[in-house]
Amino acid sequence: MDTYFVTGGSGFIGSNFIQLIHESILDANIINLDKLTYAGNPANLSKIENSDRYHFVKGDICDAAIIAKIFDDYKPTFIVNFAAESHVDRSITGPGEFIQTNIVGTYTLLNESLNYYTDLTDEDKKRFRFHHVSTDEVYGSLGDKGYFTEHTSYDPSSPYSASKASSDHLVRAWHRTFGLPVLITNCSNNYGPYQFPEKLIPLMILNCLDGKSLPVYGTGENVRDWLYVEDHCEAILHVVKMGTVGETYNIGGNNEIRNLEIVETICDLLDEIKPCGDGKTYRELITFVKDRPGHDFRYAIDATKIKNELGWYPKHTFKTGIRDTINWYLENDTWWEFIRSGEYRQYYKAQYES
Ligand code: NAD
Ligand code: DAU
């Protein structure tokens, strides 16, 4: 029986990953350590909250004692580190939390993982993995041509991407210097169910439904490579199970799209599924606003390595994924209304601090 120690599992990708493990590996135990920042929402895991294979611990990855206790209590086979401050715009207005969680937090997890690993039997050492979930933003910005490969030099632009780059370097150092069996994945932009409505796609969907303006930064020409979150979670599982220790794998969706096209697609699909009435179209809400400082122009992933070595490739196209995502937000209004009203923070504060 495998035990997965997941950090940041109450956020967007972590909660999708935990649900995947819970559904697809029927004898797996899952521990979720999450600080429940504004982005952490236990409601993302309401379907499994009463499962005897799922255990939630509210806590910070910067807290060595809590991490040591989890290792001691649950003896995990794998640790998968999702916990991070993840929003680029917030890293520009307030970088401090990004340095603390993304760098100091990863360092603390690495140190405690090494303490645990050192005392494992030879048999358990062979199986243990520290998987670090990272981003393609560490590679900086591309022009019109070219792709990020696992050999592209790091060149981060924002406080967020610089903090993730630092964490990747720490993870590699703990492998090369101390022999901790690590894996790193660098992934492109995710979208799908349970994404916090501050990121481009859910923000635009909810602003359309509210009749609010749709703020497109600059001219909307920036390009991102969009990956459906289920595909990302399956890729991580492939790497945890089959990846070569010490290696990095890029994960991408083969879906390069300009931001303006993303917003227009959302508008057009909503015109079809839930028209705004009065003969108006959602595109009328598009507003061009001041650009993000240091805004990377283009991200594009070459995911050949993970395909050739581990047999993973994305199964969802953007055409089907974006329709499914819009339908998910339409069907789950209680989920996002709970967030938008701010009530979820009060509710869980009372629940976990009593
Ligand atoms: P998210 O912001 O939705 O969730 C982050 C989670 O981490 C939240 O539940 C939050 O409460 C928790 N957390 C934050 N600080 C913590 C701390 N100090 N201790 C414990 N828990 C803490 O993020 P996401 O979009 O799900 O991203 C997850 C990971 O994937 C991040 O490491 C991010 O850098 C990486 N990533 C994200 C994307 C993307 O498109 N969203 C793409 C590539 C990589
Ligand atoms: O590439 C992977 C990264 O993707 C992850 O590491 C990050 O955690 C994740 O947040 C995401 O970063 P981005 O900055 O690319 O995502 P965001 O959704 O914030 O923005 C996507 C693009 O849309 C970007 O070019 C900025 C633009 N944008 C964003 C918002 C929120 C707008 O034009 N208007 C907006 O209101």
Side-chain angles (χ1 to χ4, degrees):
M1 184 196 257
D2 290 339
T3 297
Y4 289 77
F5 174 7
V6 175
T7 70
S10 302
F12 164 48
I13 307 174
S15 61
N16 276 281
F17 181 75
I18 288 177
Q19 291 192 55
L20 173 72
I21 301 289
H22 193 264
E23 278 161 26
S24 63
I25 310 178
L26 295 180
D27 61 353
N29 258 322
I30 305 156
I31 326 306
N32 172 17
L33 172 66
D34 199 298
K35 184 180 172 183
L36 299 185
T37 67
Y38 77 94
N41 182 359
N44 295 2
L45 289 163
S46 57
K47 283 188 197 148
I48 65 159
E49 67 188 358
N50 295 321
S51 164
D52 56 9
R53 296 191 286 121
Y54 172 68
H55 312 274
F56 176 71
V57 180
K58 183 179 183 300
D60 193 326
I61 60 163
C62 301
D63 180 344
I66 214 163
I67 298 165
K69 181 160 174 19
I70 291 172
F71 277 126
D72 210 34
D73 288 351
Y74 294 101
K75 313 267 183 287
T77 330
F78 310 115
I79 174 160
V80 186
N81 181 28
F82 291 94
E85 288 292 338
S86 70
H87 191 39
V88 173
D89 292 332
R90 286 180 190 256
S91 82
I92 296 167
T93 52
E97 287 291 311
F98 289 72
I99 305 303
Q100 192 59 24
T101 286
N102 299 1
I103 305 178
V104 179
T106 303
Y107 154 75
T108 312
L109 271 181
L110 285 165
N111 244 355
E112 291 311 313
S113 299
L114 185 61
N115 287 341
Y116 169 71
Y117 175 75
T118 305
D119 292 339
L120 288 177
T121 62
D122 287 347
E123 199 53 36
D124 288 341
K125 275 190 173 139
K126 278 189 203 143
R127 303 198 63 224
F128 183 78
R129 296 288 181 272
F130 182 106
H131 184 117
H132 182 61
V133 179
S134 192
T135 172
D136 59 358
E137 298 200 11
V138 297
Y139 299 124
S141 184
L142 289 166
D144 286 323
K145 294 207 174 78
Y147 293 90
F148 297 135
T149 74
E150 289 79 0
H151 300 292
T152 303
S153 301
Y154 276 32
D155 187 19
S157 303
S158 70
Y160 163 70
S161 51
S163 68
K164 291 296 289 187
S166 307
S167 66
D168 292 8
H169 291 318
L170 290 171
V171 174
R172 273 190 204 100
W174 256 247
H175 173 61
R176 292 183 193 164
T177 307
F178 304 116
L180 189 70
V182 308
L183 297 155
I184 300 178
T185 47
N186 294 84
C187 181
S188 62
N189 287 61
N190 284 221
Y191 69 103
Y194 302 104
Q195 186 165 31
F196 194 84
E198 64 184 353
K199 306 285 167 65
L200 181 72
I201 287 180
L203 180 78
M204 295 298 158
I205 296 172
L206 298 196
N207 277 15
C208 280
L209 298 178
D210 286 347
K212 288 187 185 159
S213 69
L214 308 177
V216 173
Y217 298 164
T219 57
E221 292 301 306
N222 304 63
V223 174
R224 298 289 181 266
D225 170 6
W226 293 92
L227 177 70
Y228 197 64
V229 64
E230 268 176 27
D231 279 329
H232 183 196
C233 293
E234 278 175 9
I236 292 171
L237 199 50
H238 270 68
V239 176
V240 170
K241 292 280 186 157
M242 297 184 288
T244 303
V245 165
E247 291 288 309
T248 291
Y249 297 85
N250 280 355
I251 306 172
N254 300 329
N255 277 311
E256 275 185 63
I257 309 176
R258 286 178 307 124
N259 291 342
L260 183 58
E261 199 181 326
I262 295 279
V263 178
E264 288 174 344
T265 303
I266 292 169
C267 290
D268 296 350
L269 281 169
L270 277 170
D271 281 340
E272 178 199 319
I273 306 170
K274 196 173 170 48
C276 53
D278 301 339
K280 293 197 169 156
T281 65
Y282 288 107
R283 283 192 188 211
E284 291 168 49
L285 297 171
I286 293 174
T287 312
F288 293 93
V289 300
K290 192 166 170 284
D291 209 353
R292 171 187 280 174
H295 197 175
D296 288 334
F297 174 63
R298 173 171 165 259
Y299 303 143
I301 286 269
D302 177 347
T304 310
K305 179 177 173 179
I306 187 169
K307 183 166 180 237
N308 288 350
E309 292 187 13
L310 308 182
W312 175 89
Y313 57 91
K315 299 201 180 81
H316 292 82
T317 61
F318 189 74
K319 197 168 177 224
T320 57
I322 190 67
R323 189 179 276 277
D324 290 349
T325 302
I326 290 175
N327 281 326
W328 188 87
Y329 279 87
L330 288 173
E331 285 158 16
N332 288 277
D333 50 345
T334 41
W335 178 84
W336 53 261
E337 272 165 6
F338 200 39
I339 292 175
R340 281 209 141 180
S341 67
E343 279 174 53
Y344 76 111
R345 301 227 61 199
Q346 301 309 322
Y347 177 81
Y348 290 113
K349 197 167 187 298
Q351 189 166 331
Y352 291 107
E353 286 174 15
S354 58

